[in-house]
Amino acid sequence: MKMSRATVEGSKKKMPCRRLGGYLREQKGRLYIIRRCIVMLVCWHD
């Protein structure tokens, strides 16, 4: 009983970290896209 209880508590603690990591990865991707767009606009030649 105690082993399964500790396992459940451990998985609950890891879940917010995983969710936070996904959020940070998403923000990093957005910043990358925005940065690429700005570089294209700045370096645009007609």
Side-chain angles (χ1 to χ4, degrees):
M1 216 43 169
K2 288 182 180 180
M3 288 294 281
S4 63
R5 191 179 211 181
T7 307
V8 170
E9 286 175 3
S11 64
K12 282 183 180 180
K13 288 181 181 178
K14 290 180 181 179
M15 206 57 175
C17 292
R18 195 177 289 173
R19 204 176 304 156
L20 180 63
Y23 174 76
L24 290 175
R25 193 179 315 128
E26 185 178 323
Q27 294 304 314
K28 188 176 179 183
R30 286 182 182 174
L31 287 174
Y32 173 77
I33 293 169
I34 291 169
R35 188 169 52 234
R36 293 291 295 178
C37 291
I38 290 171
V39 168
M40 280 196 322
L41 289 172
V42 169
C43 298
W44 187 264
H45 297 288
D46 275 337

